Amino acid sequence: EAADGSDSKGDVLDRLVAEKLLYLKAIELGLERDPKVQKVMINTLLRDKVYSTVRNSDFPEEELQTYYQDHKDEFVIPEKVQVKRILIRVTPERGEKEARAEAERLRTDLKADSSRFRDLASEFSEGPYKRRGGDIGFVAREGKPGLDPTIVEKAFSLEVDALSDVFKTREGFNVITVAKRRERVERSFQQVKGAVLRKLKNEKLKDLYDSYVSELKTGADVSVNSDVLDSLNMSPALRSANPLLQGRPGLEPAAPGTPKLERKAGKPPLGQD
């Protein structure tokens, strides 16, 4: 140990040797083909070779202001309502008549005491927000993924704390209420200047990414098996499982019997052994 308490030169050297040996062993074991490792390598490549030249100073304020004026609607906070919902599903054991009757019973209880919405939703609702007392959260007029548009339309027609009639969607019979409402807010350039800069910068980075990948493709021998590609189904499932596909449409494994993707000897597909 050095006099000042720090590691000696020998300790530092031992650590560097150990790290180098571990790195070489990882390469020997083919760990560079691990999707997570490849993702790190890709991000490092893009950072060093593609994105490193982009600076905030590349975007003068005049350009930011022009973009803001041309895209004002993108920086508006839309009107939103906080929706709470009770869903009663139609099942083989409970037909439409019985499901509607159950929803009507709950609505009657809520008319008598609307403060019980959370408790009744937690006990009786069969929707995905049951554990949150039926609270879907704040929703804009364009809706949110997985939420039936009819619910959004009904919600925006209600006053705060008002209770909807029982109505049917493809999932079953619903009773909703609006807990809060947020009005549309238009923000000034100074309020969104940072967001405008990020947006322009991201567009520049995307252009650089597309250009760099295009150059790589020009010098690469890429072949696509169209039959196999056509047999695959688009799905977000594999995207979450494979970091290399995050941010891009996923590919769901095809049904049994579907031919596998072809590969050249010695060149495994990206992310596979």
Side-chain angles (χ1 to χ4, degrees), residues 88 99-109 165-167 175:
I88 304 299
R100 178 181 284 276
E102 174 67 356
E104 292 285 4
R105 179 187 72 80
L106 293 169
R107 184 178 185 278
T108 298
D109 290 346
D165 293 330
V166 172
F167 63 96
V175 179

Side-chain angles (χ1 to χ4, degrees), residues 114-126:
S114 60
S115 67
R116 297 180 62 202
F117 198 104
R118 180 181 182 86
D119 292 338
L120 291 177
S122 297
E123 183 176 358
F124 297 105
S125 180
E126 295 162 345

Side-chain angles (χ1 to χ4, degrees), residues 46-59 63 197-209:
L46 292 174
R47 183 193 66 203
D48 295 347
K49 300 299 183 182
V50 183
Y51 302 151
S52 60
T53 60
V54 180
R55 300 285 186 270
N56 289 349
S57 56
D58 297 338
F59 306 92
E63 183 180 355
L197 173 60
R198 287 191 296 273
K199 202 168 184 67
L200 279 174
K201 192 172 181 179
N202 285 337
E203 289 182 2
K204 177 65 174 178
L205 294 177
K206 182 181 182 304
D207 289 343
L208 289 172
Y209 172 90

Side-chain angles (χ1 to χ4, degrees), residues 33-40 42-43 46 209 229 232-254 261 269-272:
R33 295 197 294 272
D34 182 286
K36 293 181 180 179
V37 174
Q38 291 182 354
K39 187 66 174 178
V40 173
I42 290 170
N43 287 338
L46 292 174
Y209 172 90
L229 181 63
L232 298 174
N233 299 316
M234 299 302 293
S235 166
L238 191 57
R239 183 191 315 164
S240 60
N242 187 341
L244 292 174
L245 297 178
Q246 289 178 5
R248 303 174 179 85
L251 292 177
E252 184 179 277
L261 288 170
L270 201 61
Q272 297 183 16

Side-chain angles (χ1 to χ4, degrees), residues 85 144-153 168-171:
R85 175 198 191 194
K144 63 190 302 184
L147 186 62
D148 193 299
T150 303
I151 295 170
V152 180
E153 182 181 352
K168 186 181 179 184
T169 61
R170 62 181 179 276
E171 295 174 291

Side-chain angles (χ1 to χ4, degrees), residues 79-233:
E79 178 187 12
K80 294 183 179 181
V81 291
Q82 183 184 3
V83 185
K84 295 185 177 181
R85 175 198 191 194
I86 291 177
L87 169 66
I88 304 299
R89 297 183 184 275
V90 178
T91 67
E93 297 76 26
R94 181 177 59 204
E96 285 200 16
K97 183 177 180 180
E98 292 79 8
R100 178 181 284 276
E102 174 67 356
E104 292 285 4
R105 179 187 72 80
L106 293 169
R107 184 178 185 278
T108 298
D109 290 346
L110 289 169
K111 286 188 69 176
D113 185 1
S114 60
S115 67
R116 297 180 62 202
F117 198 104
R118 180 181 182 86
D119 292 338
L120 291 177
S122 297
E123 183 176 358
F124 297 105
S125 180
E126 295 162 345
Y129 298 92
K130 173 185 177 75
R131 292 185 179 180
R132 292 170 49 179
D135 188 358
I136 296 173
F138 281 92
V139 180
R141 287 188 182 273
E142 59 265 28
K144 63 190 302 184
L147 186 62
D148 193 299
T150 303
I151 295 170
V152 180
E153 182 181 352
K154 289 276 186 181
F156 274 92
S157 70
L158 294 174
E159 298 295 330
V160 173
D161 293 331
L163 198 63
S164 75
D165 293 330
V166 172
F167 63 96
K168 186 181 179 184
T169 61
R170 62 181 179 276
E171 295 174 291
F173 290 94
N174 305 265
V175 179
I176 67 171
T177 188
V178 170
K180 295 178 183 178
R181 183 182 293 268
R182 292 176 180 170
E183 300 301 327
R184 171 187 166 99
V185 177
E186 294 191 10
R187 295 178 290 176
S188 68
F189 169 72
Q190 290 302 324
Q191 288 176 310
V192 300
K193 182 178 177 180
V196 174
L197 173 60
R198 287 191 296 273
K199 202 168 184 67
L200 279 174
K201 192 172 181 179
N202 285 337
E203 289 182 2
K204 177 65 174 178
L205 294 177
K206 182 181 182 304
D207 289 343
L208 289 172
Y209 172 90
D210 291 341
S211 177
Y212 190 71
V213 171
S214 179
E215 290 179 13
L216 294 177
K217 286 181 177 179
T218 300
D221 180 16
V222 179
S223 60
V224 177
N225 188 323
S226 300
D227 292 336
V228 173
L229 181 63
D230 292 341
S231 71
L232 298 174
N233 299 316

